[in-house]
Amino acid sequence: MTPLEGLAYGFSVALTPTNLFACFVGVLIGTIVGILPGIGPVGAMALLLPSTFALHPATGLIMLAGIYYGSMYGGSTTSILVNVPGEAASVITAVDGYQMTKNGRAGAALAVAGVGSFVAGSVGIVGIVLASSWLADQALRFGPPEYFAMTLAGLMLLSRLSGGSVLHGFLMVAIGLALGTVGMEPISAIRRFTFGSIQLSQGIELVPVIMGLYGVAEVLLIAERGIHKAHIATVRLRELLPTGEEWRRSKWPIARGSVVGFLTGLIPGPATVLATFISYSLERKVSKTPERFGHGAIEGVAGPEAANNGATAGAMVPLLSLGIPFSPATAILLGALMITGVQPGPLLISQRPEVFWGVVASMYVGNLILLILNLPLVGLFVSVLRLPQHVLATLVLLLCLVGAYSLNNSQLDLWVLVIFGVFGYGLRKLAIDPSPLVVALVLGPLMEKTLRQTLFMERGNVLAILGRPLALALILLGVLVLVIPPLVRLLRRRPDAPELSG
Amino acid sequence: MTERVLALALLAAAGIYVANALPLPLGTAARPGPGFFPLAVGVFGVSVALAWVIIAFRRVPAVTGPDIPAGGHGRVLATTASLAGFCLVLPWTGYPIVAFLFVGALLRRLGADWTGAAVIGLASAAVSYYLFGVLLGVPLPRGIWLD
């Protein structure tokens, strides 16, 4: 199947009534959770994961992916109108977006953000098709050493890029890997770290861990802050049209943001957030009037909003072509695939084309629905913020509890949820990002399997990995990303020394 | 303070993990056993946790604590206690009753009036039971008197 034939087939899958409805529900929920500060896309995806068990794998994935990219639209709405970013990837949008609202140009900011997201989503789909097909072909030649090197390099990059110190990143990785070893060991059937519990021998479920770290922890923060009422600006439909000058200023930032976003999405780490910051600083650098930034420059909305949507598309590439997730959101998508019996990896495109092409095409359909849904109904969506926060927080907790229980009908999952909720709250207080933990929990078993296979293949010589060019390149990349920033800091301090002595 | 407590707790957890990894069969370099990877992870975990403990205790703690609004700690404790209470009581009272009590009590604690807390508690317990217990067929506990 050529990419064009594949995409046509994908549209025939995505446009069936069931899948179209799943896509609509996904992007609608995504928009709402993007608007609400209490619950982000990852928490919402984890909450809805159990409801996809009964669905066809493609349908479930279409809905969950819809929440992921839909939240990027919703997040920008509140950043622009209320100066309250619904999630981290919209923080930078608030800088110029809210200034535009103050200057009476809220409608134009929303429209440019919507169109920018749509363009980036469309560019991203072309990127996914090209990159995934190529990567999946290459990946068929990968052996255990390459997969091991990829997971190792991914975790190293994630530790460096997830914000905060590398030490904290390493800690999260260690916890995630350790949690991944709990339960029955698949080769010798030995129970590890189960402390006699039969429930623990099935391992620690990903979903309650994510619900705890992202759902419960966020609610605990809301409880700590107390209840705030947001002041909401109103936007009339006719104000939504940007002027010719505004369009002219936005078109190149949108184009650059789309590409920057997609490329950032390919890298392990908080891609959507990083992409917005890279795009914003890029736009400020190339602008002839950088002093306008921070005072309502439309480029500061157009670029980052395109970038965060582009990044959600880029993040799908390693998941769909290699079966390796590098972010908590794609880790949930992987979980959804595995629960429904689909083996993710390079063979996904050829063995389950309806899943691969269906999901890719649905992203285009979803972006179109989002554009239609978001602009005229922006007032309605923002009114979601009027829902009292304590009611919302309590209901999110109840949904987390019943959702975690429904996974295996087990008390253990409830306790995992509560423990990781409190732990996640502690991490937030210390400004530590839990995403390396989630990704390490998912990648841990793959890492152990490929390491043991590699050692077996190479008769115990782990250094033989370095004799494989791709594995060597990946490990070098990971090491360089870890080592270069402290080295640069050290070198920057040095130049002063000779001057002082001279 | 939070950082030191968390760092020490993680070091202790890493130590317990290594102690439990040691009895697992290690295997040989060419044929690693089920204890090989956990031991490697455990040693990595202990080293990183130890480094964090050293850094956390060397750093001069901030004189003023983080800005937490009045009653913030109480609300966080109450929410955590409600969650733990839900897990403990669920097998005995069954889902509908514990869901009603959980939502009602927590709403009341977070600032709702009695009537609002009771009405939302009742409605959310009924709707969530119908949605998960009836429509999705999740065998939610019904309590010791109904089973």
Side-chain angles (χ1 to χ4, degrees):
Chain A
M1 213 183 286
T2 65
L4 265 183
E5 285 168 352
L7 212 52
Y9 173 61
F11 277 109
S12 73
V13 174
L15 291 173
T16 60
T18 316
N19 289 343
L20 201 59
F21 183 67
C23 186
F24 176 77
V25 171
V27 297
L28 184 69
I29 295 173
T31 305
I32 293 171
V33 299
I35 287 171
L36 294 170
I39 181 163
V42 178
M45 287 166 76
L47 265 178
L48 282 169
L49 182 64
S51 68
T52 62
F53 295 171
L55 303 174
H56 184 276
T59 312
L61 213 62
I62 284 172
M63 187 171 89
L64 292 174
I67 300 177
Y68 184 31
Y69 57 82
S71 66
M72 298 299 140
Y73 278 75
S76 59
T77 307
T78 45
S79 277
I80 291 168
L81 291 182
V82 207
N83 201 15
V84 178
E87 31 77 50
S90 300
V91 169
I92 202 84
T93 309
V95 177
D96 281 282
Y98 187 60
Q99 284 300 322
M100 285 183 71
T101 299
K102 280 178 154 176
N103 302 341
R105 297 303 299 152
L110 286 168
V112 161
V115 172
S117 299
F118 176 73
V119 172
S122 312
V123 170
I125 289 157
V126 178
I128 294 181
V129 171
L130 296 177
S132 295
S133 314
W134 177 80
L135 201 57
D137 275 349
Q138 302 298 313
L140 289 174
R141 288 196 287 270
F142 293 177
E146 281 77 18
Y147 271 99
F148 173 71
M150 211 167 338
T151 51
L152 184 67
L155 291 177
M156 286 199 267
L157 257 71
L158 200 56
S159 305
R160 161 60 70 197
L161 298 176
S162 57
S165 72
V166 178
L167 184 73
H168 290 156
F170 278 168
L171 260 175
M172 294 299 107
V173 166
I175 297 171
L177 290 177
L179 289 172
T181 60
V182 174
M184 187 93 81
E185 192 265 338
I187 300 171
S188 55
I190 284 181
R191 287 191 187 141
R192 302 188 295 195
F193 312 103
T194 57
F195 305 101
S197 155
I198 295 170
Q199 287 176 323
L200 264 182
S201 57
Q202 290 172 352
I204 290 180
E205 279 275 358
L206 172 70
V207 174
V209 172
I210 291 185
M211 281 178 178
L213 289 173
Y214 290 87
V216 175
E218 196 64 47
V219 169
L220 289 175
L221 280 178
I222 293 179
E224 182 196 289
R225 279 198 302 266
I227 296 147
H228 292 282
K229 277 210 169 114
H231 171 75
I232 302 165
T234 50
V235 185
R236 275 183 284 274
L237 199 58
R238 61 188 150 86
E239 289 173 4
L240 281 172
L241 217 58
T243 61
E245 170 69 8
E246 282 167 336
W247 278 128
R248 199 184 54 72
R249 283 183 182 281
S250 307
K251 64 181 183 202
W252 284 112
I254 288 175
R256 282 188 289 263
S258 304
V259 177
V260 164
F262 182 78
L263 295 177
T264 316
L266 298 172
I267 305 168
T272 52
V273 185
L274 268 181
T276 55
F277 281 89
I278 295 174
S279 162
Y280 189 82
S281 54
L282 176 71
E283 290 314 320
R284 204 155 72 171
K285 275 210 180 92
V286 299
S287 171
K288 285 178 189 136
T289 49
E291 65 283 357
R292 287 171 42 254
F293 281 75
H295 302 286
I298 199 159
E299 300 93 317
V301 175
E305 278 308 310
N308 65 22
N309 252 61
T312 59
M316 299 292 282
V317 172
L319 174 75
L320 291 175
S321 56
L322 305 174
I324 296 183
F326 283 129
S327 69
T330 46
I332 296 176
L333 294 178
L334 180 87
L337 278 177
M338 302 210 343
I339 285 167
T340 45
V342 177
Q343 188 56 47
L347 293 173
L348 184 76
I349 301 181
S350 53
Q351 287 181 348
R352 298 302 293 263
E354 84 285 5
V355 175
F356 177 84
W357 293 109
V359 171
V360 172
S362 84
M363 291 177 73
Y364 191 81
V365 177
N367 273 297
L368 199 63
I369 298 176
L370 279 164
L371 192 64
I372 300 168
L373 208 65
N374 267 264
L375 291 181
L377 298 181
V378 69
L380 187 71
F381 280 127
V382 176
S383 64
V384 173
L385 280 179
R386 294 202 173 91
L387 199 73
Q389 270 197 339
H390 57 295
V391 176
L392 182 77
T394 312
L395 294 182
V396 165
L397 284 185
L398 186 68
L399 275 177
C400 285
L401 286 164
V402 70
Y405 185 84
S406 68
L407 287 169
N408 300 308
N409 312 320
S410 126
Q411 288 278 110
L412 176 74
D413 289 333
L414 286 180
W415 285 109
V416 170
L417 171 83
V418 176
I419 291 166
F420 279 91
V422 175
F423 181 59
Y425 169 74
L427 293 181
R428 298 288 172 93
K429 298 299 291 177
L430 296 171
I432 299 175
D433 180 5
S435 52
L437 188 161
V438 175
V439 176
L441 172 59
V442 178
L443 292 186
L446 176 68
M447 206 175 174
E448 178 176 8
K449 189 177 95 180
T450 51
L451 175 64
R452 286 171 75 175
Q453 285 171 338
T454 303
L455 286 171
F456 184 68
M457 274 168 55
E458 306 291 352
R459 296 195 183 84
N461 179 15
V462 75
L463 292 178
I465 294 179
L466 304 179
R468 319 246 315 193
L470 180 70
L472 175 69
L474 286 166
I475 291 176
L476 269 180
L477 175 75
V479 172
L480 284 178
V481 169
L482 285 181
V483 172
I484 285 179
L487 259 181
V488 169
R489 271 200 297 275
L490 204 71
L491 288 174
R492 271 192 191 154
R493 272 186 224 148
R494 278 268 167 95
D496 302 336
E499 274 178 35
L500 284 172
S501 57
Chain B
M1 182 64 187
T2 318
E3 187 181 14
R4 290 179 178 180
V5 172
L6 205 57
L8 280 176
L10 285 181
L11 182 62
I16 295 171
Y17 182 84
V18 171
N20 279 281
L22 281 172
L24 294 168
L26 200 60
T28 62
R31 275 188 176 273
F36 178 79
F37 188 70
L39 192 64
V41 171
V43 170
F44 174 63
V46 167
S47 336
V48 187
L50 192 65
W52 194 24
V53 168
I54 294 170
I55 290 172
F57 276 86
R58 273 193 174 177
R59 212 194 311 259
V60 183
V63 183
T64 51
D67 195 16
I68 293 177
H73 283 304
R75 285 191 296 270
V76 171
L77 274 177
T79 310
T80 312
S82 315
L83 285 165
F86 183 101
C87 302
L88 285 173
V89 174
L90 179 69
W92 311 101
T93 60
Y95 178 78
I97 293 177
V98 75
F100 165 67
L101 291 175
F102 173 79
V103 174
L106 192 57
L107 276 178
R108 179 77 192 115
R109 178 67 184 80
L110 294 180
D113 57 30
W114 278 110
T115 328
V119 171
I120 298 171
L122 205 61
S124 55
V127 170
S128 60
Y129 184 75
Y130 182 73
L131 198 69
F132 284 86
V134 180
L135 283 184
L136 291 174
V138 178
L140 292 169
R142 300 193 306 159
I144 40 175
W145 41 77
L146 284 176
D147 283 332

